Amino acid sequence: MTPFRRLAVVTIAATFVLIGLGGLVRATDSGLGCPDWPRCFGRLVPPAELHPWIEHSHRLVASVVVVLVALLVVAAWRTGQERVVRRAAVAALVLVLAQAMIGAFVVWWKLRADSVTLHLATALALVAMLIFIDFRARHGPARRHGQDRRFVRLVEVGAGLLYLQMLVGSTVTGHQAGLAYPLAVVWPDLGPSVARIQLAHRVLAVVVATLIVVTWVVARRTQRAHPTVTRLAGYAAGLVAVQVALGMANVANRLAALTVVPHLTVGALLWGTMVALALHADRFAGTGVRDPAEPEPARARTARQSAKAYFLLTKPRIIELLLVTTVPTMFIAARGVPPPWLMAATLFGGALSAASANVLNCYLDRDIDALMRRTARRPLPAHRVDPADALRFGLVLGVAGFVWLWATVNLLSAALATAAILFYVFVYTLGLKRRSTQNIVIGGAAGAVPVLVGWAAVTGRVGLPALVLFAIIFYWTPPHFWALSLRFKDDYAAAGVPMLPVVRGARETSTQILYYTVLLVAVTLLLYPAGRMGALYLAAAVALGGAFIWRALELRRDLTGRRAIRLFSFSNTYLALLFCAMAVDAVIRGGS
């Protein structure tokens, strides 16, 4: 990437931050936190209060964007960019200066709806101009040879309607029409003007979402030779789904800042994606020859095959196991049945976070996965998913999980789920897995976090019973995974992963499995007093624990792979039945 393009990318990123801060200003009613402009209460430094500083931060970032765009103009001339790039840079400078002046009028006119909408319209136009500058600096002028323009027109219509949709959304905000009628109402009373504005916003949302999804489907069918076009269309389809969900959450949360700011930010990202898609479609789509600037096209796959590959990247069986422990934890925390909506929201957010951790793990381990028979068929070593796309997918899932849990559950649950992702990726995958025999012991802590998430979702804190539940998963993980590694010891040896059976041998591993199993059973008994559990749980913990110890002893006597895989399978059953007993016990005792 050239220095000019790096400057352009930094300027684009700063502009997105500026738009997000603008959403924060509106969502927190900080638009008049500084009632004058350009100063704040007649001072350069605002008073030590929240609203003035939120507004002031918006102005500071706006100043940074003005400087960056000015530098972009200078760089365009000094690096000898083509004429259209130089003119676009000047146009961007005019737009950003106009944006600053409109921001002043927004304050002077006390947040009049038309000025707020014009302010956003200029910001989105600036984003489009900056993306155009970066695109032309990279690809140069278009070269069309009998190009079929139908797909290009489809994208342009979608982008145009999206721009209109965002301006209507700004008008909804400016007229305080966000709660004009409840979420469940499809066709409202059209008497009040605010209801008509809100209805227009919803109708446009349906039209835009449908059109963007159709664009993605068409791109997959007709633009296989141009991977960037299909990829951008896929990103747009994913973002519009998130945007619709955030719009619904806006109304459900009564326009809380927690959902309003992501709604505007994701909308701006969607707009930028559609602009980039329009530029790439205009440059590449419909041409018969692959442009040399494009990456090599992937092997043609149906939408169903691609969806399956991405789904398998998330390791759904592991996610299922994590969720099995979350629900009973919520039952114990609630001393009965928790609200169904809270359970659904926690499970969905937890699944997103767990999927993110698993996808990132697959991305980082794709080299050793290719060397092991058990993992060689995974989507990345089998070349069914591009590694860069897998990385983006994992990051998007992680951000989506955090935002969802924060918006629908609470910040503590979101922070715990995200901390589990970071621990699994950086401590286990990057730090321990290829270096220490204790990799699965310490790294297993990431798999124990979902119980903390479930407990925090119900209570808003992490109590002693939650820590005992965490310890149960923590001590269950080594015998569970070491049993699997005994069966596939040769695979780990071939990949150079220092799993315990590879380094210390099968006999020592079976001994460690027995020790950890005994510790696990002891910890499960601690939950009886710590969690105020009843006789049903105690009986289940003793019976299941006894069966686990018996199978661990059998493995010590018979170190075959068949016996090891039996213990591995039983460990899954053990955990599911133990947590099921917890949930039933909590419901019975809660109702008594």
Side-chain angles (χ1 to χ4, degrees):
M1 185 183 293
T2 65
F4 178 78
R5 284 199 60 227
R6 280 197 291 269
L7 178 59
V9 170
V10 169
T11 308
I12 293 169
T15 306
F16 279 121
V17 172
L18 178 62
I19 293 173
L21 281 173
L24 180 63
V25 168
R26 291 310 310 271
T28 57
D29 291 325
S30 302
L32 296 178
C34 293
D36 49 348
W37 191 92
R39 296 191 175 194
C40 186
F41 292 99
R43 298 157 50 182
L44 290 177
V45 178
E49 297 175 10
L50 178 63
H51 293 299
W53 269 103
I54 291 176
E55 168 64 13
H56 191 62
S57 66
H58 181 60
R59 296 183 185 183
L60 287 176
V61 174
S63 302
V64 170
V65 172
V66 170
V67 172
L68 287 172
V69 174
L71 291 174
L72 197 64
V73 173
V74 175
W77 254 267
R78 295 196 63 177
T79 58
Q81 300 295 320
E82 62 170 317
R83 180 183 300 178
V84 68
V85 173
R86 297 198 301 267
R87 289 179 175 176
V90 172
L93 182 60
V94 172
L95 281 171
V96 77
L97 293 175
Q99 172 77 347
M101 288 306 304
I102 294 170
F105 280 106
V106 168
V107 176
W108 295 336
W109 291 346
K110 307 300 180 186
L111 308 181
R112 258 175 46 182
D114 53 355
S115 64
V116 171
T117 301
L118 183 60
H119 195 48
L120 179 62
T122 311
L124 296 177
L126 176 62
V127 167
M129 189 62 68
L130 292 171
I131 292 174
F132 172 78
I133 290 170
D134 176 64
F135 178 84
R136 287 300 293 263
R138 177 184 179 185
H139 295 290
R143 300 187 301 273
R144 301 189 184 94
H145 304 284
Q147 184 179 19
D148 185 348
R149 305 284 297 173
R150 286 176 295 182
F151 179 75
V152 178
R153 286 194 291 270
L154 177 64
V155 176
E156 290 171 347
V157 170
L161 287 177
L162 173 63
Y163 186 76
L164 177 61
Q165 158 73 354
M166 294 197 66
L167 299 189
V168 172
S170 178
T171 304
V172 167
T173 302
H175 286 281
Q176 305 296 318
L179 299 175
Y181 54 96
L183 186 64
V185 175
V186 177
W187 195 271
D189 178 7
L190 295 181
S193 60
V194 292
R196 292 194 293 270
I197 296 172
Q198 176 65 303
L199 177 63
H201 183 57
R202 291 195 182 184
V203 170
L204 267 175
V206 173
V207 173
V208 169
T210 303
L211 194 57
I212 289 176
V213 172
V214 168
T215 301
W216 174 53
V217 173
V218 173
R220 290 189 58 82
R221 291 179 176 176
T222 65
Q223 306 301 322
R224 281 288 182 183
H226 310 294
T228 302
V229 172
T230 56
R231 186 177 294 118
L232 287 170
Y235 292 161
L239 285 171
V240 81
V242 174
Q243 181 73 341
V244 170
L246 286 171
M248 296 171 66
N250 260 344
V251 180
N253 291 341
R254 302 194 65 79
L255 304 182
L258 204 57
T259 51
V260 169
V261 177
H263 189 54
L264 176 61
T265 304
V266 172
L269 290 172
L270 176 59
W271 163 245
T273 303
M274 288 299 292
V275 170
L277 176 59
L279 291 170
H280 279 81
D282 182 66
R283 176 73 166 81
F284 303 127
T287 57
V289 180
R290 184 181 66 84
D291 191 278
E294 281 279 88
E296 289 288 342
R299 181 172 57 86
R301 291 187 297 270
T302 65
R304 182 176 180 180
Q305 289 172 328
S306 294
K308 181 180 179 181
Y310 278 96
F311 178 68
L312 292 176
L313 266 182
T314 66
K315 300 182 182 178
R317 295 182 66 181
I318 294 178
I319 295 175
E320 179 184 345
L321 194 61
L322 296 176
L323 299 184
V324 161
T325 62
T326 302
V327 173
T329 299
M330 298 179 73
F331 275 69
I332 300 172
R335 303 312 303 177
V337 181
W341 161 251
L342 181 62
M343 281 197 295
T346 305
L347 290 178
F348 183 68
L352 289 175
S353 297
S356 170
N358 291 334
V359 172
L360 295 175
N361 172 263
C362 285
Y363 170 78
L364 294 169
D365 280 350
R366 63 191 186 279
D367 56 336
I368 58 176
D369 281 348
L371 301 175
M372 297 193 292
R373 289 174 299 170
R374 183 175 67 89
T375 57
R377 293 179 137 186
R378 285 178 176 173
L380 283 172
H383 305 291
R384 296 199 300 273
V385 175
D386 182 82
D389 287 342
L391 176 60
R392 296 186 191 100
F393 182 50
L395 293 174
V396 168
L397 286 173
V399 172
F402 178 82
V403 171
W404 174 266
L405 287 171
W406 189 7
T408 62
V409 183
N410 56 48
L411 179 57
L412 179 57
S413 294
L416 286 169
T418 304
I421 298 174
L422 297 176
F423 189 91
Y424 190 65
V425 170
F426 291 100
V427 177
Y428 172 66
T429 305
L430 292 176
L432 296 171
K433 184 171 183 178
R434 308 188 192 201
R435 294 178 175 85
S436 172
T437 57
Q438 296 299 301
N439 47 20
I440 199 61
V441 177
I442 300 171
V449 172
V451 296
L452 303 182
V453 174
W455 191 275
V458 175
T459 66
R461 59 187 179 84
V462 175
L464 176 60
L467 296 177
V468 176
L469 290 166
F470 177 92
I472 289 174
I473 307 297
F474 182 81
Y475 284 107
W476 168 85
T477 303
H480 164 76
F481 204 89
W482 279 335
L484 180 69
S485 64
L486 272 173
R487 171 65 179 82
F488 295 101
K489 179 178 67 173
D490 294 341
D491 271 8
Y492 287 110
V497 178
M499 295 301 294
L500 191 63
V502 176
V503 178
R504 305 280 292 275
R507 174 62 59 184
E508 176 63 21
T509 301
S510 68
T511 302
Q512 292 293 324
I513 286 175
L514 179 60
Y515 288 162
Y516 271 92
T517 301
V518 173
L519 282 172
L520 166 65
V521 175
V523 173
T524 61
L525 298 179
L526 285 178
L527 188 64
Y528 177 68
R532 294 183 292 123
M533 306 302 293
L536 173 63
Y537 168 75
L538 182 61
V542 171
L544 290 169
F548 205 156
I549 292 174
W550 175 257
R551 288 176 180 268
L553 286 169
E554 284 187 327
L555 179 63
R556 287 206 76 217
R557 293 192 293 266
D558 179 7
L559 295 174
T560 61
R562 175 181 292 183
R563 181 69 65 182
I565 209 67
R566 283 181 180 176
L567 179 61
F568 170 78
S569 299
F570 175 77
S571 66
N572 290 325
T573 304
Y574 166 86
L575 194 69
L577 292 176
L578 182 71
F579 273 77
C580 182
M582 292 180 194
V584 174
D585 187 281
V587 171
I588 293 174
R589 291 179 61 78
S592 60

